[in-house]
């Protein structure tokens, strides 16, 4: 089964990004083997990609699940947990 890919779009010095990073790590750790597929977590700075910077400069952090927007600004732990436990989290 293909992995579930979580991508956190962030930028340095963003306190909301720090909070989001913590929530994602805690939810992934707590989900453990309850999740149907392995989870990979990537973080991408919008400053490294002009297209991402233009698209998300006012919305970070953004959490993508398998390339699709899941949350912006604040990551809700219960919502992320529920998405990870679904058969198709997108």
């Amino acid at each position: 089964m293909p992995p579930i890919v979580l991508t956190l779009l962030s930028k340095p010095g963003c306190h909301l990004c720090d909070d989001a990073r913590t929530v994602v790590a805690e939810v992934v750790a707590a989900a453990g083997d309850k999740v149907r597929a392995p989870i990979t977590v990537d973080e991408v700075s919008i400053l490294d990609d002009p297209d991402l910077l233009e698209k998300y400069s006012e919305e970070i952090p953004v959490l993508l699940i398998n390339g699709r927007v899941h949350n912006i600004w604040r990551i809700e732990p219960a919502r992320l947990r529920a998405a990870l436990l679904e058969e198709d989290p997108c």
Side-chain angles (χ1 to χ4, degrees):
M1 192 163 279
I4 299 169
V5 179
L6 302 180
T7 306
L8 181 63
L9 303 180
S10 63
K11 72 177 182 179
C14 167
H15 72 281
L16 291 177
C17 300
D18 295 339
D19 294 345
R21 189 178 303 110
T22 299
V23 169
V24 169
E26 290 173 352
V27 170
V28 168
D33 59 357
K34 298 174 200 150
V35 179
R36 64 167 176 76
I39 300 172
T40 63
V41 180
D42 298 317
E43 187 167 349
V44 175
S45 172
I46 63 170
L47 300 181
D48 295 336
D49 184 317
D51 293 332
L52 291 176
L53 180 60
E54 182 177 336
K55 186 171 184 177
Y56 295 114
S57 65
E58 301 298 320
E59 296 182 334
I60 59 164
V62 176
L63 181 64
L64 307 175
I65 299 179
N66 295 335
R68 297 174 69 188
V69 173
H70 176 72
N71 271 109
I72 60 169
W73 296 309
R74 298 219 185 260
I75 309 306
E76 300 171 25
R79 184 166 183 260
L80 177 56
R81 188 176 310 105
L84 294 177
L85 296 175
E86 290 177 7
E87 282 301 311
D88 181 6
C90 291

Coordinates of all heavy atoms in Angstrom, one line a residue:
M1 N 0.8 -1.2 0.0 CA 0.0 0.0 0.0 C 0.9 1.2 0.0 O 1.9 1.3 0.8 CB -0.9 0.0 1.2 CG -2.0 1.0 1.2 SD -3.3 0.6 2.4 CE -4.2 -0.6 1.5
P2 N 0.6 2.2 -0.8 CA 1.5 3.4 -0.9 C 1.4 4.2 0.4 O 0.4 4.2 1.1 CB 0.9 4.2 -2.1 CG -0.5 3.7 -2.3 CD -0.5 2.3 -1.8
P3 N 2.4 4.9 0.7 CA 2.5 5.7 2.0 C 1.5 6.9 1.9 O 1.1 7.3 0.8 CB 3.9 6.2 2.1 CG 4.4 6.2 0.7 CD 3.7 5.1 0.0
I4 N 1.1 7.3 3.1 CA 0.4 8.6 3.2 C 1.4 9.7 3.3 O 2.3 9.6 4.2 CB -0.5 8.6 4.4 CG1 -1.6 7.5 4.3 CG2 -1.2 9.9 4.6 CD1 -2.4 7.2 5.6
V5 N 1.4 10.6 2.5 CA 2.5 11.7 2.5 C 1.9 13.0 3.0 O 0.9 13.5 2.5 CB 3.0 11.9 1.1 CG1 4.1 13.0 1.1 CG2 3.6 10.6 0.5
L6 N 2.4 13.4 4.2 CA 2.0 14.7 4.8 C 3.1 15.7 4.4 O 4.3 15.4 4.6 CB 2.0 14.5 6.3 CG 1.0 13.5 6.8 CD1 1.1 13.5 8.4 CD2 -0.4 13.7 6.4
T7 N 2.7 16.8 3.9 CA 3.7 17.8 3.5 C 3.3 19.1 4.2 O 2.1 19.6 4.0 CB 3.7 18.1 2.0 OG1 4.0 16.8 1.3 CG2 4.8 19.1 1.6
L8 N 4.2 19.6 5.0 CA 3.9 20.8 5.7 C 4.6 22.0 5.0 O 5.8 22.0 4.8 CB 4.4 20.8 7.2 CG 4.2 22.0 8.1 CD1 2.7 22.3 8.3 CD2 4.9 21.8 9.4
L9 N 3.8 22.9 4.5 CA 4.4 24.1 3.8 C 4.6 25.2 4.9 O 3.6 25.5 5.6 CB 3.4 24.6 2.7 CG 3.1 23.6 1.6 CD1 2.1 24.2 0.6 CD2 4.3 23.0 1.0
S10 N 5.8 25.7 5.0 CA 6.1 26.6 6.1 C 7.1 27.6 5.6 O 7.4 27.7 4.4 CB 6.7 25.8 7.3 OG 7.9 25.2 6.9
K11 N 7.6 28.4 6.6 CA 8.7 29.3 6.3 C 9.4 29.5 7.6 O 8.8 29.4 8.7 CB 8.3 30.6 5.6 CG 7.6 31.6 6.4 CD 7.3 32.9 5.6 CE 6.6 33.9 6.5 NZ 6.4 35.1 5.7
P12 N 10.7 29.8 7.6 CA 11.4 30.1 8.8 C 10.8 31.2 9.6 O 10.4 32.2 9.0 CB 12.8 30.4 8.3 CG 12.9 29.8 6.9 CD 11.5 29.9 6.4
G13 N 10.9 31.1 10.9 CA 10.4 32.2 11.8 C 8.9 32.2 12.0 O 8.4 33.2 12.6
C14 N 8.2 31.3 11.5 CA 6.7 31.3 11.5 C 6.3 30.5 12.8 O 6.5 29.3 12.8 CB 6.2 30.6 10.3 SG 4.4 30.2 10.4
H15 N 5.7 31.2 13.8 CA 5.4 30.5 15.0 C 4.2 29.6 14.8 O 4.1 28.5 15.5 CB 5.0 31.5 16.1 CG 3.8 32.3 15.9 ND1 3.6 33.3 15.1 CD2 2.6 32.1 16.5 CE1 2.4 33.8 15.1 NE2 1.7 33.0 16.0
L16 N 3.3 29.9 13.9 CA 2.2 28.9 13.6 C 2.8 27.7 12.9 O 2.2 26.6 13.2 CB 1.2 29.6 12.7 CG 0.3 30.7 13.3 CD1 -0.6 31.3 12.2 CD2 -0.5 30.2 14.5
C17 N 3.8 27.8 12.2 CA 4.5 26.6 11.6 C 5.1 25.8 12.6 O 5.0 24.5 12.5 CB 5.5 27.1 10.5 SG 4.8 28.1 9.2
D18 N 5.7 26.4 13.6 CA 6.3 25.6 14.8 C 5.2 24.8 15.4 O 5.4 23.6 15.8 CB 6.9 26.6 15.8 CG 8.1 27.3 15.2 OD1 8.7 26.8 14.2 OD2 8.5 28.3 15.8
D19 N 4.0 25.5 15.7 CA 2.9 24.8 16.3 C 2.4 23.6 15.4 O 2.1 22.5 15.9 CB 1.7 25.7 16.6 CG 2.1 26.8 17.6 OD1 3.1 26.7 18.3 OD2 1.3 27.8 17.7
A20 N 2.3 23.9 14.2 CA 1.8 22.8 13.2 C 2.7 21.7 13.2 O 2.3 20.5 13.2 CB 1.6 23.4 11.8
R21 N 4.0 21.9 13.2 CA 5.1 20.9 13.1 C 4.9 19.9 14.4 O 5.0 18.7 14.3 CB 6.4 21.5 13.1 CG 7.6 20.6 12.9 CD 8.9 21.3 12.8 NE 8.9 22.4 11.8 CZ 8.9 23.7 12.0 NH1 8.9 24.1 13.3 NH2 8.9 24.5 11.0
T22 N 4.7 20.6 15.5 CA 4.5 19.8 16.8 C 3.2 19.0 16.7 O 3.2 17.8 17.1 CB 4.4 20.8 18.0 OG1 5.7 21.5 18.0 CG2 4.2 20.0 19.3
V23 N 2.1 19.5 16.2 CA 0.9 18.8 16.2 C 1.0 17.6 15.2 O 0.6 16.5 15.5 CB -0.3 19.7 15.7 CG1 -1.5 18.9 15.4 CG2 -0.6 20.7 16.8
V24 N 1.6 17.8 14.1 CA 1.7 16.7 13.1 C 2.6 15.6 13.7 O 2.2 14.4 13.6 CB 2.4 17.3 11.8 CG1 2.8 16.1 10.9 CG2 1.4 18.2 11.0
A25 N 3.7 16.0 14.3 CA 4.6 14.9 14.9 C 3.8 14.2 16.0 O 3.9 12.9 16.0 CB 5.8 15.6 15.5
E26 N 3.1 14.8 16.8 CA 2.3 14.2 17.9 C 1.2 13.3 17.4 O 1.1 12.1 17.8 CB 1.7 15.2 18.9 CG 2.8 15.9 19.7 CD 2.2 17.0 20.5 OE1 1.0 17.4 20.4 OE2 3.0 17.6 21.3
V27 N 0.5 13.7 16.4 CA -0.6 12.9 15.8 C 0.0 11.7 15.1 O -0.5 10.6 15.3 CB -1.5 13.8 14.9 CG1 -2.5 12.9 14.1 CG2 -2.3 14.8 15.7
V28 N 1.0 11.9 14.3 CA 1.6 10.7 13.6 C 2.2 9.7 14.6 O 2.0 8.5 14.4 CB 2.7 11.2 12.6 CG1 3.6 10.1 12.1 CG2 2.1 12.0 11.5
A29 N 2.8 10.2 15.7 CA 3.4 9.3 16.7 C 2.2 8.5 17.4 O 2.3 7.3 17.6 CB 4.2 10.0 17.7
A30 N 1.2 9.2 17.7 CA 0.0 8.5 18.4 C -0.7 7.6 17.5 O -1.3 6.6 18.0 CB -0.9 9.6 18.9
A31 N -0.8 7.9 16.2 CA -1.5 7.0 15.3 C -0.8 5.6 15.2 O -1.5 4.6 15.0 CB -1.6 7.7 13.9
G32 N 0.5 5.6 15.2 CA 1.2 4.4 15.2 C 0.7 3.4 14.2 O 0.6 3.7 13.0
D33 N 0.5 2.1 14.6 CA 0.1 1.1 13.7 C -1.4 1.0 13.4 O -1.9 0.1 12.7 CB 0.6 -0.3 14.1 CG 0.1 -0.6 15.5 OD1 -0.7 0.2 16.1 OD2 0.4 -1.7 16.0
K34 N -2.1 2.0 13.8 CA -3.6 2.1 13.6 C -3.8 2.6 12.1 O -4.9 2.4 11.6 CB -4.3 3.0 14.5 CG -4.2 2.6 16.0 CD -4.8 3.6 16.9 CE -4.3 3.4 18.3 NZ -4.2 4.7 19.0
V35 N -2.8 3.2 11.5 CA -3.0 3.7 10.2 C -2.8 2.6 9.2 O -1.9 1.8 9.3 CB -1.9 4.9 10.0 CG1 -2.0 5.5 8.6 CG2 -2.2 6.0 11.1
R36 N -3.5 2.7 8.1 CA -3.5 1.6 7.0 C -2.3 1.6 6.2 O -2.0 0.6 5.5 CB -4.7 1.8 6.1 CG -4.6 3.2 5.4 CD -5.6 3.3 4.2 NE -5.5 4.6 3.6 CZ -4.5 4.9 2.8 NH1 -3.6 4.1 2.5 NH2 -4.5 6.1 2.2
A37 N -1.4 2.6 6.2 CA -0.2 2.7 5.4 C 0.8 3.5 6.1 O 0.5 4.2 7.0 CB -0.6 3.4 4.1
P38 N 2.1 3.3 5.7 CA 3.1 4.1 6.3 C 2.9 5.6 6.1 O 2.4 5.9 5.0 CB 4.4 3.6 5.6 CG 4.0 2.4 4.8 CD 2.6 2.4 4.7
I39 N 3.3 6.4 7.0 CA 3.2 7.8 6.9 C 4.6 8.4 6.7 O 5.5 8.1 7.4 CB 2.6 8.4 8.1 CG1 1.2 7.9 8.3 CG2 2.5 10.0 8.0 CD1 0.5 8.3 9.6
T40 N 4.7 9.3 5.7 CA 6.0 10.1 5.5 C 5.6 11.5 5.7 O 4.5 12.0 5.3 CB 6.6 9.9 4.2 OG1 5.7 10.3 3.1 CG2 7.0 8.4 3.9
V41 N 6.5 12.2 6.4 CA 6.3 13.6 6.7 C 7.4 14.4 6.0 O 8.6 14.1 6.3 CB 6.2 13.9 8.2 CG1 6.0 15.4 8.4 CG2 5.1 13.1 8.8
D42 N 7.1 15.4 5.2 CA 8.0 16.3 4.6 C 7.7 17.7 5.0 O 6.5 18.0 5.2 CB 8.0 16.2 3.1 CG 8.3 14.8 2.5 OD1 9.3 14.2 3.1 OD2 7.6 14.3 1.6
E43 N 8.7 18.5 5.0 CA 8.4 20.0 5.2 C 9.1 20.7 4.1 O 10.3 20.4 3.7 CB 9.0 20.4 6.6 CG 8.6 21.8 6.9 CD 8.9 22.2 8.3 OE1 9.1 21.4 9.2 OE2 8.8 23.4 8.6
V44 N 8.4 21.7 3.5 CA 8.9 22.5 2.4 C 8.7 23.9 2.8 O 7.6 24.4 3.2 CB 8.1 22.2 1.1 CG1 8.5 23.1 0.0 CG2 8.2 20.7 0.8
S45 N 9.8 24.7 2.7 CA 9.7 26.1 2.9 C 9.2 26.8 1.6 O 9.7 26.6 0.5 CB 11.1 26.7 3.2 OG 11.1 28.1 3.2
I46 N 8.2 27.6 1.8 CA 7.6 28.3 0.6 C 8.6 29.3 0.0 O 8.5 29.7 -1.1 CB 6.3 29.0 0.9 CG1 6.4 30.1 2.0 CG2 5.2 28.0 1.3 CD1 5.2 30.9 2.1
L47 N 9.6 29.7 0.8 CA 10.6 30.6 0.3 C 11.5 30.0 -0.7 O 12.2 30.7 -1.5 CB 11.5 31.1 1.5 CG 10.7 31.8 2.6 CD1 11.7 32.3 3.7 CD2 9.9 33.0 2.1
D48 N 11.5 28.6 -0.8 CA 12.4 27.9 -1.7 C 11.7 27.7 -3.1 O 12.3 27.1 -4.0 CB 12.8 26.6 -1.2 CG 13.7 26.7 0.0 OD1 14.4 27.8 0.2 OD2 13.8 25.8 0.9
D49 N 10.4 28.1 -3.2 CA 9.7 27.8 -4.4 C 8.8 29.0 -4.7 O 7.8 29.3 -4.0 CB 8.8 26.6 -4.2 CG 8.0 26.1 -5.4 OD1 7.5 27.0 -6.1 OD2 8.0 24.9 -5.7
P50 N 9.1 29.7 -5.8 CA 8.4 31.0 -6.1 C 6.9 30.7 -6.3 O 6.0 31.6 -5.9 CB 9.0 31.5 -7.4 CG 10.3 30.8 -7.4 CD 10.2 29.5 -6.7
D51 N 6.5 29.6 -6.8 CA 5.1 29.3 -7.0 C 4.4 29.1 -5.7 O 3.2 29.6 -5.5 CB 4.9 28.0 -7.9 CG 5.3 28.3 -9.4 OD1 5.3 29.4 -9.8 OD2 5.7 27.3 -10.0
L52 N 5.0 28.3 -4.8 CA 4.4 28.1 -3.5 C 4.3 29.4 -2.7 O 3.3 29.7 -2.0 CB 5.2 27.1 -2.7 CG 5.1 25.7 -3.2 CD1 6.0 24.8 -2.3 CD2 3.7 25.1 -3.2
L53 N 5.4 30.3 -2.8 CA 5.4 31.5 -2.1 C 4.2 32.4 -2.6 O 3.5 33.0 -1.8 CB 6.7 32.2 -2.4 CG 6.9 33.6 -1.7 CD1 6.7 33.5 -0.2 CD2 8.2 34.2 -2.1
E54 N 4.0 32.5 -3.9 CA 2.9 33.3 -4.5 C 1.6 32.7 -4.0 O 0.7 33.5 -3.6 CB 3.0 33.3 -6.0 CG 1.9 34.2 -6.6 CD 2.1 34.2 -8.1 OE1 3.1 34.0 -8.7 OE2 1.0 34.5 -8.8
K55 N 1.4 31.4 -4.0 CA 0.1 30.8 -3.7 C -0.2 30.9 -2.3 O -1.4 31.1 -1.9 CB 0.1 29.4 -4.3 CG -1.2 28.7 -4.2 CD -1.2 27.4 -4.9 CE -2.6 26.7 -4.8 NZ -2.7 25.5 -5.6
Y56 N 0.8 30.6 -1.4 CA 0.5 30.4 0.0 C 1.1 31.5 1.0 O 1.1 31.2 2.2 CB 1.0 29.0 0.4 CG 0.2 27.9 -0.2 CD1 0.9 27.1 -1.1 CD2 -1.1 27.7 0.0 CE1 0.2 26.0 -1.7 CE2 -1.8 26.6 -0.6 CZ -1.1 25.8 -1.5 OH -1.8 24.8 -2.1
S57 N 1.6 32.6 0.5 CA 2.3 33.5 1.3 C 1.5 34.0 2.5 O 2.1 34.2 3.6 CB 2.8 34.7 0.5 OG 1.8 35.4 0.0
E58 N 0.2 34.1 2.4 CA -0.6 34.6 3.5 C -1.4 33.4 4.2 O -2.2 33.7 5.1 CB -1.6 35.6 2.9 CG -1.0 36.8 2.3 CD -0.2 37.6 3.2 OE1 -0.6 37.8 4.4 OE2 0.9 38.1 2.8
E59 N -1.1 32.2 3.9 CA -1.9 31.1 4.4 C -1.1 30.1 5.2 O -1.6 29.1 5.7 CB -2.6 30.4 3.3 CG -3.6 31.2 2.6 CD -4.4 30.5 1.5 OE1 -3.9 29.5 0.9 OE2 -5.5 30.9 1.2
I60 N 0.2 30.3 5.4 CA 1.0 29.2 6.0 C 0.7 29.2 7.5 O 0.4 30.2 8.1 CB 2.5 29.4 5.7 CG1 3.0 30.7 6.2 CG2 2.8 29.1 4.3 CD1 4.5 30.8 6.3
P61 N 0.9 28.1 8.1 CA 1.3 26.8 7.5 C 0.1 26.2 6.8 O -1.0 26.4 7.1 CB 1.7 25.9 8.7 CG 0.9 26.5 9.8 CD 0.7 28.0 9.6
V62 N 0.5 25.4 5.8 CA -0.5 24.6 5.1 C -0.1 23.1 5.2 O 1.1 22.8 5.0 CB -0.5 25.0 3.6 CG1 -1.4 24.1 2.8 CG2 -0.9 26.4 3.4
L63 N -1.0 22.3 5.5 CA -0.7 20.8 5.6 C -1.4 20.2 4.4 O -2.6 20.3 4.2 CB -1.2 20.2 6.9 CG -0.9 18.7 7.0 CD1 0.6 18.4 7.0 CD2 -1.6 18.1 8.2
L64 N -0.6 19.5 3.6 CA -1.1 18.7 2.5 C -1.1 17.2 2.8 O -0.2 16.8 3.5 CB -0.2 18.9 1.2 CG 0.1 20.3 0.8 CD1 1.0 20.3 -0.4 CD2 -1.2 21.1 0.4
I65 N -2.1 16.5 2.5 CA -2.2 15.1 2.6 C -2.2 14.5 1.1 O -3.1 14.8 0.4 CB -3.3 14.5 3.4 CG1 -3.3 15.1 4.8 CG2 -3.4 13.0 3.4 CD1 -4.5 14.6 5.7
N66 N -1.2 13.8 0.8 CA -1.0 13.3 -0.6 C -1.3 14.4 -1.6 O -1.9 14.1 -2.6 CB -2.0 12.1 -0.8 CG -1.6 10.9 0.1 OD1 -0.5 10.8 0.5 ND2 -2.6 10.1 0.4
G67 N -0.7 15.5 -1.4 CA -0.7 16.6 -2.3 C -2.0 17.5 -2.3 O -2.0 18.5 -3.1
R68 N -2.9 17.2 -1.4 CA -4.1 18.0 -1.4 C -4.2 18.7 -0.1 O -3.9 18.2 1.0 CB -5.3 17.0 -1.5 CG -5.3 16.3 -2.9 CD -6.4 15.3 -3.0 NE -7.7 15.9 -3.1 CZ -8.8 15.3 -3.1 NH1 -8.8 13.9 -3.0 NH2 -10.0 15.9 -3.1
V69 N -4.7 19.9 -0.1 CA -4.8 20.8 1.1 C -5.7 20.1 2.1 O -6.9 19.8 1.8 CB -5.3 22.2 0.8 CG1 -5.5 23.0 2.0 CG2 -4.3 22.9 -0.1
H70 N -5.2 20.0 3.3 CA -6.0 19.5 4.4 C -6.3 20.6 5.4 O -7.5 20.7 5.8 CB -5.2 18.4 5.2 CG -5.9 17.8 6.4 ND1 -7.0 17.0 6.3 CD2 -5.6 18.0 7.7 CE1 -7.4 16.7 7.5 NE2 -6.6 17.3 8.4
N71 N -5.4 21.4 5.8 CA -5.6 22.5 6.7 C -4.7 23.7 6.3 O -3.6 23.5 5.8 CB -5.2 22.1 8.1 CG -6.3 21.5 8.9 OD1 -6.3 20.3 9.2 ND2 -7.3 22.3 9.3
I72 N -5.1 24.9 6.7 CA -4.3 26.1 6.6 C -4.3 26.7 8.0 O -5.3 26.5 8.8 CB -4.7 27.1 5.5 CG1 -6.1 27.6 5.8 CG2 -4.6 26.4 4.2 CD1 -6.5 28.7 4.9
W73 N -3.3 27.5 8.3 CA -3.1 28.2 9.6 C -2.9 27.4 10.8 O -1.9 27.5 11.5 CB -4.1 29.3 9.8 CG -4.1 30.4 8.7 CD1 -3.1 31.1 8.3 CD2 -5.2 30.8 7.9 NE1 -3.4 31.9 7.3 CE2 -4.8 31.8 7.1 CE3 -6.6 30.5 7.9 CZ2 -5.6 32.4 6.2 CZ3 -7.4 31.1 7.0 CH2 -6.9 32.1 6.1
R74 N -3.9 26.6 11.2 CA -3.9 25.8 12.4 C -4.2 24.4 12.1 O -5.2 24.1 11.4 CB -4.8 26.4 13.4 CG -4.5 27.8 13.9 CD -4.6 28.0 15.3 NE -4.4 29.3 15.7 CZ -3.3 29.8 16.2 NH1 -2.3 29.0 16.5 NH2 -3.2 31.1 16.5
I75 N -3.4 23.5 12.6 CA -3.7 22.0 12.3 C -4.5 21.5 13.5 O -4.0 21.6 14.7 CB -2.4 21.2 12.2 CG1 -1.5 21.9 11.2 CG2 -2.7 19.8 11.9 CD1 -2.1 22.1 9.8
E76 N -5.7 21.0 13.3 CA -6.5 20.5 14.3 C -6.2 19.0 14.5 O -6.4 18.2 13.6 CB -8.0 20.6 13.9 CG -8.4 22.1 13.7 CD -9.8 22.2 13.1 OE1 -10.6 21.3 13.3 OE2 -10.1 23.2 12.4
P77 N -5.7 18.6 15.7 CA -5.3 17.3 15.9 C -6.4 16.2 15.6 O -6.1 15.2 15.0 CB -4.9 17.2 17.4 CG -4.5 18.6 17.7 CD -5.4 19.5 16.8
A78 N -7.6 16.5 16.1 CA -8.7 15.5 15.9 C -9.0 15.3 14.4 O -9.2 14.2 13.9 CB -9.9 15.9 16.6
R79 N -9.0 16.4 13.7 CA -9.3 16.3 12.2 C -8.2 15.5 11.5 O -8.4 14.7 10.6 CB -9.4 17.7 11.7 CG -9.9 17.7 10.2 CD -10.3 19.1 9.8 NE -10.8 19.1 8.4 CZ -10.1 19.5 7.4 NH1 -8.9 20.0 7.6 NH2 -10.6 19.4 6.2
L80 N -6.9 15.8 11.8 CA -5.8 15.1 11.2 C -5.8 13.6 11.5 O -5.7 12.8 10.7 CB -4.5 15.7 11.6 CG -3.2 15.1 11.1 CD1 -3.2 15.0 9.5 CD2 -2.0 15.8 11.5
R81 N -6.1 13.3 12.8 CA -6.1 11.9 13.2 C -7.2 11.2 12.5 O -7.0 10.1 11.9 CB -6.4 11.9 14.7 CG -6.4 10.5 15.3 CD -6.6 10.5 16.9 NE -5.8 11.5 17.6 CZ -6.2 12.7 18.0 NH1 -7.5 13.0 17.9 NH2 -5.4 13.5 18.7
A82 N -8.4 11.8 12.3 CA -9.5 11.2 11.6 C -9.1 11.0 10.1 O -9.4 9.9 9.6 CB -10.7 12.0 11.7
A83 N -8.4 11.9 9.5 CA -8.0 11.8 8.1 C -7.0 10.6 8.0 O -7.1 9.9 7.0 CB -7.4 13.1 7.6
L84 N -6.1 10.5 8.9 CA -5.1 9.4 8.8 C -5.7 8.1 9.0 O -5.2 7.1 8.4 CB -4.0 9.6 9.8 CG -3.1 10.9 9.6 CD1 -2.1 11.0 10.7 CD2 -2.5 10.9 8.2
L85 N -6.8 8.0 9.7 CA -7.5 6.7 9.9 C -8.5 6.3 8.9 O -8.9 5.2 8.9 CB -8.1 6.7 11.3 CG -7.1 6.8 12.5 CD1 -7.9 6.9 13.8 CD2 -6.1 5.7 12.5
E86 N -8.8 7.2 8.0 CA -9.8 6.9 6.9 C -9.1 6.0 5.9 O -7.9 6.0 5.8 CB -10.2 8.2 6.2 CG -11.1 9.1 7.0 CD -11.5 10.4 6.3 OE1 -11.1 10.5 5.1 OE2 -12.1 11.2 6.9
E87 N -9.9 5.3 5.1 CA -9.3 4.5 4.0 C -8.7 5.3 3.0 O -7.6 5.0 2.4 CB -10.5 3.7 3.4 CG -10.9 2.5 4.2 CD -9.7 1.5 4.4 OE1 -9.0 1.2 3.5 OE2 -9.5 1.1 5.6
D88 N -9.3 6.5 2.6 CA -8.7 7.4 1.6 C -8.6 8.8 2.3 O -9.6 9.5 2.3 CB -9.6 7.4 0.4 CG -9.0 8.3 -0.7 OD1 -7.9 8.8 -0.5 OD2 -9.6 8.5 -1.7
P89 N -7.5 9.1 2.8 CA -7.4 10.4 3.6 C -7.5 11.7 2.8 O -7.4 12.7 3.4 CB -6.1 10.2 4.3 CG -5.2 9.4 3.5 CD -6.2 8.4 2.8
C90 N -7.6 11.6 1.5 CA -7.7 12.8 0.8 C -9.0 13.4 0.8 O -10.0 13.2 0.4 CB -7.2 12.6 -0.6 SG -5.4 12.3 -0.6

